[in-house]
Amino acid sequence: MAKFINLAAPVDMSEGFKDFFATIGLTGNGLVTKGIAAVIAVIAVRMLLQLSNDPKGALKKGSMAIGTLFVAVVLAMYGDTLFSTVTEAKG
């Protein structure tokens, strides 16, 4: 007889969105940070798609777009940690 493996443990979602965001590791600050990072990433991709035919101008705009994309990735990965140091003031 085949032995069944439990792939996912049951999770209590009785509190709705609060429980859902807690299971994916997002709090209110984390959700806002991910949203800001997503908007910056979309802007960076749009910048990459609008490169000109001039090689010098394309290199300048392309490097600016890659830098913007890098900022979006860092913000998505570490933004909640960066912003938590600002919001948790001790006084």
Side-chain angles (χ1 to χ4, degrees):
M1 189 155 126
K3 182 181 178 184
F4 293 107
I5 299 172
N6 189 8
L7 295 178
V11 177
D12 179 27
M13 293 283 188
S14 60
E15 292 188 32
F17 283 115
K18 181 180 175 187
D19 286 333
F20 171 71
F21 288 125
T23 58
I24 60 174
L26 289 179
T27 59
N29 291 338
L31 187 62
V32 170
T33 305
K34 300 286 190 232
I36 292 170
V39 169
I40 293 174
V42 168
I43 291 170
V45 169
R46 187 171 182 260
M47 288 169 65
L48 279 172
L49 293 175
Q50 291 183 341
L51 295 179
S52 63
N53 290 333
D54 175 35
K56 190 174 181 181
L59 183 62
K60 184 177 178 182
K61 287 182 179 180
S63 62
M64 194 178 304
I66 295 296
T68 305
L69 194 58
F70 177 74
V71 167
V73 168
V74 168
L75 187 61
M77 291 171 52
Y78 302 112
D80 53 345
T81 306
L82 291 171
F83 289 130
S84 70
T85 59
V86 175
T87 58
E88 295 175 7
K90 299 197 170 44

